[in-house]
Amino acid sequence: MGKKGDQYEVFVEMGRDTNGEMDAKIKKKKKVKKKEMLEGMKKEMEIDDHELTIEELEMKYSTSTTKGMSSTLAAQVLERDGANELKPPKGTPEYVKFARQLAGGLQCLMWVAAVICFIAFGIQFAQEDLTSYDNLYLAITLIAVVVVTGCFGYYQEFKSTNIIASFKNLVPQKATVFRDGQKSQINANQLVVGDLVEIKGGDRVPADVRIITAQGCKVDNSSLTGESEPQSKGPECTHENPLETRNIAFFSTTCLEGIATGIIINTGDRTIIGRIASLASGVGNEKTPIAIEIEHFVDIIAGLAIFFGATFFVVAMVIGYQFLKAMIFFMAIVVAYVPEGLLATVTVCLSLTAKRLAKKNCVVKNLEAVETLGSTSVICSDKTGTLTQNRMTVSHLWFDNHIHSADTTEDQSGQSFDQSSETWRALGRVAGLCNRAVFKPGQEEIPIPKREVIGDASETALLKFTELTIGNVIDYRGRFKKICEVPFNSTNKFQLSIHELEDPLDLRYLLVMKGAPERILERCSTIMIKGQELPLDEQWKEAFQTAYMDLGSLGERVLGFCHIFMNEKEYPRGYNFDTDEMNFPTSGLCFAGLISMIDPPRATVPDAVMKCRTAGIRVIMVTGDHPITAKAIAANVGIISEGSETVEDIATRLRIPVEQVNRGDARACVINGGQLKDMTSDELDDALRAHPEMVFARTSPQQKLIIVESCQRLGSIVAVTGDGVNDSPALKKADIGIAMGIAGSDAAKNAADMILLDDNFASIVTGVEQGRLIFDNLKKSIAYTLTKNIPELTPYLIYITVSVPLPLGCITILFIELATDIFPSVSLAYEKAESDIMHLKPRNPKRDRLVNEALAVYSYFQIGAIQSFAGFTDYFTAMAQEGWLPLLCVGLRSQWENPHNQEVQDSYGQEWTYSQRLYQEYTCYTVFFVSIEICQISDVLIRKTRRLSVFQQGFFRNKVLVTAIVFQLLLGNFLCYCPGMPNIFNFMPIRVQWWFVPVPFGILIFVYDEIRKLGVRRHPGSWWDKELYY
Amino acid sequence: MAALKEKRTCAQRCEDFGYFVWNPDTKQLLGRTLDKWVYISLYYVAFYIVMSGLFVLALYVLLSTLSPYTPTYRDRLQSPGVVMRPNTYGDEGLLIVYEVNKPDSYTPLIHTLQNYLTPYNRTEQHAHYENEHCNGNKYFTQNEPKDPEQKLLSCPFYRSSLGKCSGMDNSTFGYPDGQPCIIIKMNRVTSSFRHCPILSTAPVCQGRLLVNVYFLFFKQKGEPKNLHNIEYFPPNGTFDLHYFPYYGKIAQPSYMNPLVAVKFNSLEKNKLLKIECRVVADKISADNIHDPYEGKVEFEIEIKNGTAVNK
C-alpha cells in the first residue's frame, strides 16, 4: 500500500497541461433554449465541499468523521432527499410507444384515408344510395392495416428493448457505512448526505464522496470522463474545481485499489453523474432520416392524390354528375392513391434489416434507426472502450538499443519480438519480479489478456505481458523469493524489490527496480546490451533519450527497468534490508530497458475506419483522454491518416511559429477541451470544415454535445458511439447513438438508438452497409409498390368519365395491395447492392431523397401507364369475348348497374340479368387483377436494379424474389380458381388465355426499362439520365 | 440535416413553394426550364402516342378474332334469365299491387303489357318470316351466314296466340276482375340450345302465401303450393322449339322472343302472395341462389279488394 501520488512523470505533465479544462462543463453555454437548464446546472455544480475543512463539513452535514451520522437523522435525510439511486430516465409509457407506432407519416395518411372512406360511406348511407359496402370495407381494412403493422412494429421494438434490458445489472449494491459509531453494510440506495462511508479497492463509489482519509486510493473515472488513467484520491484539496480536485470521488466510478473513507455530499440524481444523465434526458430526440424521407414521400402522394381527385371532381361535375356523387368520386380517387401495402412493406423491410443486424451483434432499438447509419456522414467516436480495448497493454520494449514491438492484439495473434537476447531475459525478470499485481484466482480457463487482475493498470499490463512471454509469473516469483520491497511513491517515482536467486547455490541478492525512465537512468551506471554490461556513456544516454522520446510521442506510458546483483559478501544471507534507511545500493545499477504501454486499438478498428473513409464517412474522435494519447491512437487506427499533419506538426517540421502555418495545409487537427471552451460555434464549424481529420481531446459531456450539434449544423447526419455516462447526452443528440453492449453504461444504452453487443467498432461498418442497402432497396420497394397505384386508379377514372362497367373493384385492389404484392415488394429488401455501396459517398439528405420526382413520375406515368393499358386490353378482351364489344361498353354503366333491369342486351343481342352482369363484372375485376399481377412480375424484375441491367445483376440470384414471384402466381391462381371465391371476394375462375393477354405488355415493360437503364449507363448526366434515373 | 429539421413557418413554406413554381435565378418553372418542359412533354406525348397505338393495335387484333355473329364464350349465360311483365319493383323485388276498384292502381300495369305486346301485332311482323320450319315443334337450325348481308330467317310470334291475355279481346288483361295476366319471357341467348335439346320448355308457376301481419310489419312465408285455376297461353304453356336456337342480332335481326302468358283466375284477395314461375327444361337451371332471375322469375302479388277491406 501507500503508492500514493502522481503517475509517472510524462503523464503528470500532460495532466497538468489540461488542468482546468473540465470546468468547461460549467461555463460553456449552449443554445439559448438550453441556456436556462445549463444555467441551473451551473449553479448546482458549485460544490464547495472540497474546500471546507473537516470540521466545517461535520457542521454542515451534522455528522461526525469518526462515528458517522445518527440513524435517526439519516432516516430523516433519507425521507427528505429520497433514495440514493439514479431515477431511471422517464421511460416512455408503453401505450405512448404503441401510439407512436400508429402516428407515423404513412399511418397518418391512412388514417385520413379511412376517415374519408367513412365520410363517403356516410354520404352514401344518408342518400340511401348504397350499392355496395366497399367504402366501409375499405375504411376498416385501412384501419386494420395501420393497427396490425403498428402491433408488428411495436413487437419488434419490444423485443430489442428486452435484449437491452437483460444487460442491466440488477444486483443491489452494498456500501460500508458508519452510523452511530457502528460500521455496517447497507444497501447503497439507503445512503444519505452526510453519511460516513468506507470505500475499498473493487467497490463502486456509492455517491459523490468527500474523501476524509485515504490510503493508496485510486479511482477509475472512465465512466465519467472517458479517461483511462486511474486518479489517485486523497483528503487534500488540490484544485478549486470540484471535478479536478483529488478529494472528491464520484458516484459510479470504481475504486481500483486502496482504501478511503469519506462523507457523502451528494446522492442520487444530484450527483455529477446523475446530472449528466438528466442532461441526456433533456436533449430532444432527432427525427430519423427515414422518417423525414417518408414524410416527404407522403407529401408527394397526398399532393398527387388531391390534384388527381380535384381534377376528376371537376370532370365529373362537367359531365353532369350530382355534387355529392362527384364528391364521392373525389374521395374514392384520393383513397385509391393511398398505397395500402407500403406501410407493411416498409415495416417488414426495416425489421428484416434489423434482424440481419442483430445477427451481426447490432441491436436496434428503433426500427427507423436501421437506415440512419446508412445516411451517416460523420461518426463521432469515443476512444476508450470503443476504438481501444480499454486495457493497458505492453506495446513496445527498448533494449539492445532497439525498439521492439510487442503483440497488442486481443487474441495474441500478432507478431512477437525476438526473445533470444540475454538482455530480454534480464528485462523480463525485472518486469516479472518488480510487480505486485496478481491474477484473481479461478481464471485458468480464461485467455490471459482477458483475466482479471488485482493491481493498477500498468502493473496489470506488465503482469499479463510477462505471463504471456515468460510463463507462469506467480510460480516464477515463487522461485525468486522476495525479501523486501519499496512501493512506488511520488517522491521516489520508482518501485523496487529485493529477491533471492532461483539457483540456491548462488547466494547473491537481486535488486530489481522500475519507475519513471529518467529517474531510473539517473541511478544506473551501466547498461545491458546483448547480455553484456557496458558502461553507460553519453552515447547510450542519447540512445535512451531518443527511444524515450519516440515512445512518448506515440502516446505511450513508458517505464524504465534496471537491476543489480548484490555481492554476497557485502549482503550475506539474512542481511537485514531496511526499506526506510535504504541500506542497499539504489544507484550504480544496470539499466535493462524500457517498456511502454498503451491502451491499444481493437484489432478490427483500423480496417473499419478505413472502410468508413472509403464510404465517405468522416470519423471524428471525441474523447476525454489526453491529446497526445488521443492523437497517437487516432493515428494508429487511421482517424488521422498517414502523412496528415496538424498545424503544430507543420510548425515543427518547418521550424516556424504556429501562427505562420497556413491552416489549410493541415488535414488533421487536435483540439482539446480548453481550446474548445474558448471557441465560438462558428469557429468550431470552421475548424470542422477546414480539417477533415479531427480529434477532440479532454472534452466534457457538454462539449461532446456541442461537437455533435456543430456537425449537424454543417448538414451531416451524425452517429455517435460511446459507452460512458459522459457520452449519453451526445448519444441522445446524435441522429443515431450507438452504445457499447458490454462496456456500455446503462445511461449510454438508454440514450442510444443502437447497441453493439460485441463492442466492436467494425460492426458499425456492417450497419452502414446494411443501412445504405436498405435505403436503396426501400427505394426499389416503394417504386414497385407505387407503380400499381395507376392501374388501380385508371379503371375508376375511366369508369367515371367513359361510364364503362367498373373494370376493377375495391376488394380486388385490396388483395393486390395487401396480399399478392406484399411478398415481392418485401423480397426486394433481399436484393444485393448494385455497385460497391461502400465506395460511394453518403447520400446528401437534401438531394438524394427516398422518393424523388423522377421515381414517382416514372413509376406512375410510364410503367403504371403501360400496366393500365395491359389491364384495359385484358378487360376489353374478356368483355368482348363474352359478348360486350368495346364500343358498346362506353356509356353502358347506368344500364349495367341497374339491378331492376334483367334484359340488358349485349353486342350479339343476348339478354343479361343483373346477376349475370355482376359476375361478368367480377370476371373483369379478375382479369384486371391478373393483368396487374403479370405486369407486376415484370415490374419486380425491373426494380431489381436502378442502373445495371437485370442480366448483370442476375435473374435468379435473389432467391427470395424468385420465391415471391412463384408465391404471387400461386396466390393469384388460388384466388381465381378456389371454389366459392366469386361470392366471397369477387374473383372469378377466368379463362386461361386471359392470363396471357398482358404478357406482351409485361415484356414491353421489361424491354423499355432495359433501354432506360442502358441510356442511363451510357450517358450519365444526360437529359435522359436526369429525367429517367430515380 | 439541421436545415431539414427546423420547423418551417407557413410563410417560409409558401415562399419555398413560390420558388418551386417560378425560380427567377435559374429561370425554372415548376423545377424545369422551359426547354426542358418542352422536351419532357414531347417525350410523354410520344410515349403515349406509341402506347395508345399499341393499345389500339391490341384491340384491333382482338376484334379481328371475334365472330360477328356469336360471342366467343357464354360463360356467364349458362342458363337464360327469365323476365316477366308487368315489371314493377318493390323494396325486395318484383311486386304487383293493385286495387280492383281503383283503375288508377292498375292502369300503368295494363299499359306496360299493351306496350310490350305491340311489336307482336301481326302487322309488325313480315309474312315472309313464316316458313315451314315454324310449324313443327322442332329446332329451327340454320347455317351461319356467309357474309354480313345475308340474314337468317326467324319464326314470327303473334300476339293472338296469347288468347285471353293477348289484350286484343280484353284490353284490361283481366286486372279489374281480379284475374290478372302476366307475361313471361325467356332471355335470348345465342345458340344456347344447339347442343342441348330441350324436351319441353314450360313455365310452371307455384305460389307461396305471404300472410300480411300488418301490426307486426312482418311477412311470413308459407309452404309452396300449387296454385289452382291457372291458365297458360299458348294453351300448352310452352315456348315452341322452333324459336330456337337464336343466332344473334346481326344474323337474325327479325327474331321475336316467344312468350308465355299466365292468367291467375282465383288468387286470394288481400293477401300478399309470392309466386315463382320456373322454366322447366333440360339444361336450364333454376337453382342458382346467387341469381334470382336465372331460369325462373319470382314476384309478389297482392290484389286488394276494396269491399273486403271495407267490410
Side-chain angles (χ1 to χ4, degrees):
Chain A
M1 285 302 167
K3 209 169 93 174
K4 287 180 199 169
D6 272 344
Q7 283 303 313
Y8 306 97
E9 198 80 64
V10 176
F11 269 77
V12 172
E13 292 310 322
M14 288 191 293
R16 284 195 183 136
D17 278 344
T18 51
N19 268 354
E21 283 164 15
M22 296 299 275
D23 59 352
K25 268 178 195 164
I26 303 164
K27 285 176 186 160
K28 190 81 196 182
K29 286 171 196 167
K30 293 204 295 96
K31 280 182 170 177
V32 184
K33 60 178 174 184
K34 285 185 191 132
K35 201 173 160 186
E36 248 170 68
M37 187 177 87
L38 286 177
E39 225 35 61
M41 276 191 64
K42 180 178 159 187
K43 234 175 262 167
E44 282 178 284
M45 288 278 219
E46 278 165 3
I47 299 169
D48 57 355
D49 292 322
H50 55 295
E51 287 164 333
L52 301 181
T53 62
I54 290 174
E55 288 71 32
E56 284 168 330
L57 267 177
E58 284 183 329
M59 282 285 289
K60 183 173 174 186
Y61 295 113
S62 346
T63 182
S64 147
T65 47
T66 47
K67 290 185 189 162
M69 284 178 111
S70 71
S71 303
T72 43
L73 182 61
Q76 278 170 21
V77 178
L78 186 66
E79 186 79 15
R80 187 190 70 199
D81 291 350
N84 171 36
E85 54 201 358
L86 290 182
K87 256 192 237 97
K90 243 181 276 151
T92 340
E94 294 299 307
Y95 69 90
V96 173
K97 278 189 200 163
F98 184 67
R100 219 176 271 160
Q101 293 285 342
L102 303 181
L106 273 179
Q107 287 88 334
C108 288
L109 186 72
M110 292 179 76
W111 283 119
V112 171
V115 169
I116 291 175
C117 284
F118 274 125
I119 294 173
F121 179 74
I123 294 175
Q124 284 177 327
F125 193 77
Q127 285 206 314
E128 296 181 356
D129 182 22
L130 259 177
T131 44
S132 71
Y133 287 87
D134 280 358
N135 274 321
L136 186 64
Y137 296 151
L138 193 54
I140 292 169
T141 315
L142 286 170
I143 293 172
V145 169
V146 175
V147 172
V148 169
T149 45
C151 291
F152 182 77
Y154 175 74
Y155 171 71
Q156 287 292 328
E157 292 189 3
F158 180 76
K159 251 191 353 195
S160 45
T161 321
N162 268 2
I163 297 176
I164 294 152
S166 64
F167 277 87
K168 277 189 183 156
N169 184 10
L170 295 172
V171 184
Q173 208 198 332
K174 295 275 182 187
T176 313
V177 65
F178 293 88
R179 280 188 188 163
D180 306 324
Q182 299 285 316
K183 184 175 172 182
S184 61
Q185 289 258 328
I186 62 169
N187 278 340
N189 61 4
Q190 297 301 309
L191 293 176
V192 296
V193 170
D195 261 332
L196 182 66
V197 287
E198 186 186 86
I199 307 158
K200 294 191 299 293
D203 285 353
R204 222 165 71 126
V205 178
D208 286 357
V209 175
R210 158 75 152 89
I211 306 291
I212 306 288
T213 62
Q215 280 144 19
C217 177
K218 275 191 180 173
V219 172
D220 174 11
N221 267 353
S222 65
S223 74
L224 191 63
T225 60
E227 212 172 347
S228 44
E229 200 66 32
Q231 309 286 309
S232 342
K233 294 290 172 189
E236 66 279 8
C237 172
T238 54
H239 200 284
E240 58 177 14
N241 182 343
L243 290 162
E244 290 292 316
T245 183
R246 211 178 277 168
N247 59 358
I248 293 185
F250 296 105
F251 184 32
S252 93
T253 56
T254 321
C255 179
L256 293 176
E257 58 178 47
I259 186 161
T261 57
I263 286 175
I264 293 179
I265 54 173
N266 276 316
T267 57
D269 286 333
R270 287 166 302 279
T271 56
I272 298 296
I273 208 108
R275 284 177 212 167
I276 293 172
S278 59
L279 179 65
S281 60
V283 174
N285 243 336
E286 300 292 333
K287 238 181 214 168
T288 59
I290 195 81
I292 292 168
E293 288 305 318
I294 285 177
E295 271 174 28
H296 172 247
F297 161 67
V298 167
D299 283 351
I300 292 183
I301 291 280
L304 273 175
I306 291 170
F307 169 73
F308 259 80
T311 312
F312 278 85
F313 177 76
V314 173
V315 169
M317 291 296 281
V318 169
I319 289 176
Y321 285 104
Q322 291 171 340
F323 174 76
L324 276 176
K325 191 86 180 167
M327 203 63 212
I328 288 173
F329 287 156
F330 169 76
M331 291 173 180
I333 290 169
V334 170
V335 172
Y337 245 106
V338 177
E340 290 91 353
L342 198 59
L343 181 57
T345 305
V346 171
T347 315
V348 173
C349 285
L350 289 178
S351 47
L352 277 176
T353 309
K355 216 166 172 187
R356 225 178 288 166
L357 283 175
K359 259 188 217 150
K360 296 185 171 152
N361 289 321
C362 300
V363 176
V364 180
K365 273 165 73 182
N366 173 359
L367 271 190
E368 285 175 348
V370 166
E371 191 277 328
T372 313
L373 261 186
S375 313
T376 299
S377 46
V378 172
I379 298 176
C380 292
S381 179
D382 182 37
K383 179 180 78 77
T384 313
T386 312
L387 298 173
T388 66
Q389 302 171 14
N390 197 10
R391 185 161 53 211
M392 272 292 173
T393 309
V394 171
S395 56
H396 291 100
L397 303 97
W398 181 77
F399 59 83
D400 290 350
N401 200 14
H402 276 290
I403 292 180
H404 303 263
S405 295
D407 179 8
T408 52
T409 53
E410 285 140 281
D411 52 359
Q412 293 299 312
S413 57
Q415 283 267 317
S416 199
F417 56 96
D418 176 25
Q419 299 183 356
S420 58
S421 164
E422 194 64 29
T423 321
W424 155 245
R425 280 180 49 199
L427 181 60
R429 187 167 55 212
V430 182
L433 295 180
C434 186
N435 189 337
R436 300 165 20 150
V438 286
F439 288 111
K440 283 187 183 168
Q443 299 190 89
E444 286 74 18
E445 299 301 313
I446 305 169
I448 295 162
K450 297 212 165 68
R451 288 188 201 166
E452 284 186 47
V453 176
I454 304 167
D456 79 1
S458 30
E459 295 225 309
T460 304
L462 287 170
L463 174 68
K464 286 178 179 171
F465 176 67
T466 44
E467 182 86 10
L468 282 167
T469 46
I470 298 174
N472 192 330
V473 177
I474 305 303
D475 192 43
Y476 186 78
R477 286 185 199 159
R479 280 181 272 148
F480 292 84
K481 190 162 165 268
K482 190 191 279 180
I483 305 302
C484 73
E485 66 178 343
V486 179
F488 184 88
N489 71 46
S490 46
T491 24
N492 291 341
K493 293 194 189 299
F494 67 78
Q495 172 185 2
L496 69 80
S497 55
I498 297 170
H499 299 262
E500 288 178 8
L501 284 182
E502 190 177 12
D503 181 0
L505 298 176
D506 195 341
L507 293 178
R508 291 178 299 174
Y509 284 107
L510 171 67
L511 183 148
V512 289
M513 183 192 267
K514 76 169 184 222
E518 62 279 7
R519 293 298 181 87
I520 297 294
L521 196 73
E522 281 168 14
R523 294 171 187 274
C524 292
S525 56
T526 58
I527 180 165
M528 185 175 273
I529 299 294
K530 302 224 156 69
Q532 303 292 314
E533 276 190 39
L534 303 179
L536 186 64
D537 54 23
E538 280 309 308
Q539 187 196 341
W540 287 120
K541 278 186 179 165
E542 205 163 297
F544 161 88
Q545 277 303 337
T546 321
Y548 183 27
M549 291 306 290
D550 283 353
L551 294 175
S553 69
L554 291 174
E556 298 184 0
R557 178 192 300 175
V558 189
L559 291 180
F561 295 81
C562 61
H563 70 158
I564 188 166
F565 290 97
M566 283 182 279
N567 192 322
E568 75 231 59
K569 285 175 188 147
E570 264 179 83
Y571 306 100
R573 276 292 137 102
Y575 180 84
N576 187 17
F577 291 106
D578 186 336
T579 53
D580 293 329
E581 296 280 318
M582 298 269 192
N583 56 354
F584 43 83
T586 54
S587 60
L589 312 176
C590 171
F591 190 81
L594 296 170
I595 295 182
S596 70
M597 282 152 286
I598 198 163
D599 177 11
R602 292 164 180 274
T604 49
V605 168
D607 196 34
V609 171
M610 199 57 221
K611 279 184 180 161
C612 287
R613 264 169 191 279
T614 48
I617 300 169
R618 247 175 120 177
V619 184
I620 294 178
M621 182 191 276
V622 182
T623 177
D625 216 334
H626 305 278
I628 293 182
T629 320
K631 188 181 165 195
I633 291 291
N636 210 326
V637 299
I639 288 176
I640 293 176
S641 52
E642 226 171 287
S644 294
E645 290 174 309
T646 62
V647 172
E648 290 76 15
D649 289 338
I650 296 176
T652 325
R653 180 165 54 86
L654 302 176
R655 296 172 205 282
I656 52 173
V658 173
E659 294 76 33
Q660 288 176 14
V661 177
N662 177 7
R663 295 205 157 255
D665 294 345
R667 280 180 59 77
C669 181
V670 181
I671 293 181
N672 68 40
Q675 292 164 292
L676 190 56
K677 187 180 65 181
D678 299 329
M679 287 167 94
T680 64
S681 42
D682 286 340
E683 282 170 343
L684 178 59
D685 290 359
D686 287 343
L688 279 168
R689 258 195 292 262
H691 309 286
E693 295 166 358
M694 297 285 292
V695 172
F696 291 93
R698 297 299 278 172
T699 49
S700 68
Q702 274 93 340
Q703 286 176 328
K704 289 190 179 188
L705 204 55
I706 289 165
I707 294 163
V708 171
E709 279 174 345
S710 181
C711 291
Q712 288 177 336
R713 245 198 323 275
L714 293 174
S716 307
I717 294 183
V718 183
V720 170
T721 67
D723 55 351
V725 180
N726 58 330
D727 299 319
S728 58
L731 286 172
K732 196 84 181 281
K733 178 72 199 170
D735 294 286
I736 178 166
I738 305 164
M740 299 295 139
I742 303 168
S745 58
D746 285 349
K749 285 183 205 163
N750 269 324
D753 304 299
M754 186 181 262
I755 291 173
L756 302 181
L757 294 186
D758 55 356
D759 287 15
N760 191 345
F761 186 80
S763 307
I764 294 175
V765 178
T766 318
V768 170
E769 194 170 354
Q770 292 295 334
R772 290 184 172 190
L773 190 58
I774 197 65
F775 187 83
D776 274 7
N777 286 347
L778 264 184
K779 207 167 189 167
K780 295 171 182 175
S781 284
I782 289 175
Y784 171 80
T785 311
L786 285 189
T787 310
K788 62 180 180 282
N789 249 356
I790 287 295
E792 284 165 3
L793 185 67
T794 42
Y796 197 71
L797 301 183
I798 298 294
Y799 165 78
I800 295 172
T801 49
V802 191
S803 293
V804 295
L806 185 61
L808 185 62
C810 168
I811 297 178
T812 322
I813 292 177
L814 290 181
F815 266 95
I816 299 173
E817 289 279 353
L818 300 175
T820 55
D821 275 10
I822 290 282
F823 192 12
S825 63
V826 167
S827 75
L828 283 169
Y830 289 93
E831 201 54 49
K832 297 271 179 302
E834 273 176 71
S835 51
D836 199 341
I837 40 176
M838 292 307 278
H839 282 98
L840 302 176
K841 285 220 153 17
R843 74 183 177 93
N844 179 332
K846 279 183 197 156
R847 225 179 30 238
D848 309 331
R849 309 309 299 256
L850 181 64
V851 175
N852 50 23
E853 187 208 15
L855 183 148
V857 168
Y858 180 70
S859 301
Y860 277 153
F861 300 118
Q862 298 189 24
I863 302 301
I866 300 178
Q867 294 196 352
S868 304
F869 279 114
F872 276 103
T873 308
D874 212 1
Y875 164 77
F876 283 122
T877 306
M879 283 299 269
Q881 294 198 330
E882 293 286 2
W884 304 87
L885 296 186
L887 278 180
L888 182 73
C889 295
V890 174
L892 188 63
R893 189 167 73 88
S894 56
Q895 279 190 66
W896 181 276
E897 288 186 347
N898 180 359
H900 293 164
N901 190 344
Q902 314 301 337
E903 314 165 81
V904 179
Q905 281 203 3
D906 67 12
S907 305
Y908 295 94
Q910 307 183 98
E911 292 162 325
W912 295 60
T913 66
Y914 176 71
S915 293
Q916 286 164 343
R917 297 196 302 272
L918 197 61
Y919 282 99
Q920 177 59 25
E921 194 172 308
Y922 292 165
T923 308
C924 295
Y925 294 177
T926 314
V927 294
F928 219 105
F929 163 80
V930 165
S931 306
I932 295 178
E933 288 315 299
I934 296 290
C935 289
Q936 282 292 81
I937 290 175
S938 182
D939 196 21
V940 78
L941 287 176
I942 66 168
R943 301 301 183 183
K944 280 165 73 77
T945 57
R946 292 189 290 140
R947 182 180 284 275
L948 288 187
S949 162
V950 177
F951 296 100
Q952 289 169 305
Q953 181 82 347
F955 260 104
F956 303 108
R957 206 178 293 162
N958 184 349
K959 296 280 183 299
V960 185
L961 189 133
V962 177
T963 320
I965 293 174
V966 173
F967 168 81
Q968 187 184 19
L969 281 172
L970 288 179
L971 186 59
N973 272 292
F974 172 79
L975 288 172
C976 289
Y977 299 114
C978 175
M981 278 295 170
N983 301 309
I984 309 171
F985 295 127
N986 309 349
F987 283 94
M988 295 293 286
I990 57 163
R991 290 193 170 263
V992 176
Q993 63 266 41
W994 292 334
W995 283 84
F996 295 95
V997 175
V999 169
F1001 288 92
I1003 295 170
L1004 177 68
I1005 290 176
F1006 185 81
V1007 171
Y1008 178 63
D1009 196 62
E1010 281 296 316
I1011 293 171
R1012 178 189 73 86
K1013 288 170 189 162
L1014 188 70
V1016 167
R1017 285 199 303 277
R1018 286 277 168 83
H1019 306 288
S1022 64
W1023 175 83
W1024 182 272
D1025 184 26
K1026 275 183 198 145
E1027 293 290 351
L1028 294 178
Y1029 179 67
Y1030 54 89
Chain B
M1 210 62 241
L4 281 173
K5 279 170 192 155
E6 277 165 17
K7 291 246 177 218
R8 287 184 302 163
T9 63
C10 188
Q12 277 170 314
R13 275 171 183 273
C14 288
E15 195 177 326
D16 285 355
F17 186 73
Y19 261 90
F20 171 69
V21 173
W22 173 247
N23 188 339
D25 302 334
T26 53
K27 298 224 161 74
Q28 281 177 331
L29 178 75
L30 294 171
R32 278 194 186 83
T33 55
L34 204 61
D35 53 337
K36 286 278 156 53
W37 271 113
V38 172
Y39 290 149
I40 194 78
S41 310
L42 284 178
Y43 184 81
Y44 272 91
V45 168
F47 179 83
Y48 278 96
I49 286 175
V50 170
M51 280 316 298
S52 310
L54 286 176
F55 180 62
V56 170
L57 181 72
L59 287 189
Y60 176 78
V61 171
L62 163 70
L63 293 178
S64 65
T65 61
L66 296 178
S67 147
Y69 305 110
T70 48
T72 319
Y73 306 115
R74 278 169 296 272
D75 295 328
R76 305 281 87 75
L77 299 175
Q78 299 294 343
S79 281
V82 174
V83 293
M84 62 167 274
R85 291 292 184 290
N87 52 347
T88 48
Y89 280 86
D91 281 349
E92 286 176 8
L94 290 164
L95 175 69
I96 300 170
V97 183
Y98 73 94
E99 207 165 311
V100 181
N101 298 336
K102 289 188 181 161
D104 285 356
S105 66
Y106 57 77
T107 324
L109 304 176
I110 292 169
H111 272 286
T112 313
L113 289 173
Q114 283 291 5
N115 289 341
Y116 190 68
L117 289 177
T118 314
Y120 288 92
N121 287 337
R122 190 173 286 269
T123 50
E124 302 280 325
Q125 303 180 55
H126 297 291
H128 71 264
Y129 286 2
E130 274 197 75
N131 59 67
E132 72 279 14
H133 296 287
C134 300
N135 294 326
N137 194 12
K138 277 197 300 192
Y139 288 120
F140 178 22
T141 49
Q142 304 170 71
N143 290 326
E144 270 197 2
K146 302 262 181 326
D147 65 274
E149 295 307 310
Q150 191 196 343
K151 301 295 176 197
L152 298 185
L153 300 174
S154 32
C155 292
F157 185 89
Y158 297 123
R159 186 173 174 172
S160 53
S161 55
L162 297 180
K164 285 183 199 166
C165 287
S166 68
M168 291 156 80
D169 309 330
N170 176 1
S171 64
T172 60
F173 296 92
Y175 278 74
D177 314 327
Q179 294 178 330
C181 281
I182 60 156
I183 290 170
I184 292 173
K185 185 199 91 177
M186 207 159 67
N187 276 350
R188 300 178 198 182
V189 176
T190 56
S191 305
S192 36
F193 308 125
R194 190 186 289 168
H195 307 295
C196 41
I198 301 168
L199 297 177
S200 68
T201 47
V204 169
C205 296
Q206 278 189 322
R208 289 163 206 253
L209 186 61
L210 295 168
V211 185
N212 281 359
V213 188
Y214 290 108
F215 54 89
L216 284 176
F217 299 101
F218 177 73
K219 291 173 185 173
Q220 194 182 355
K221 272 187 184 173
E223 284 299 306
K225 61 177 182 185
N226 287 321
L227 295 163
H228 299 292
N229 232 336
I230 300 180
E231 280 181 273
Y232 292 99
F233 302 98
N236 53 357
T238 56
F239 302 107
D240 282 333
L241 287 186
H242 54 249
Y243 294 105
F244 306 101
Y246 173 53
Y247 285 99
K249 73 176 178 190
I250 292 168
Q252 238 180 336
S254 55
Y255 183 82
M256 297 303 290
N257 280 73
L259 303 173
V260 167
V262 185
K263 187 170 176 65
F264 300 97
N265 284 331
S266 57
L267 280 181
E268 221 174 326
K269 304 289 183 298
N270 299 322
K271 291 266 166 72
L272 188 65
L273 288 163
K274 187 163 198 165
I275 292 170
E276 179 188 280
C277 292
R278 183 184 284 257
V279 172
V280 181
D282 268 8
K283 310 282 182 184
I284 292 184
S285 133
D287 304 321
N288 187 348
I289 52 162
H290 300 294
D291 188 354
Y293 297 97
E294 188 179 296
K296 64 174 191 290
V297 59
E298 270 184 7
F299 63 99
E300 286 166 17
I301 187 164
E302 184 174 8
I303 305 167
K304 290 180 185 161
N305 186 339
T307 51
V309 171
N310 290 341
K311 256 186 267 179

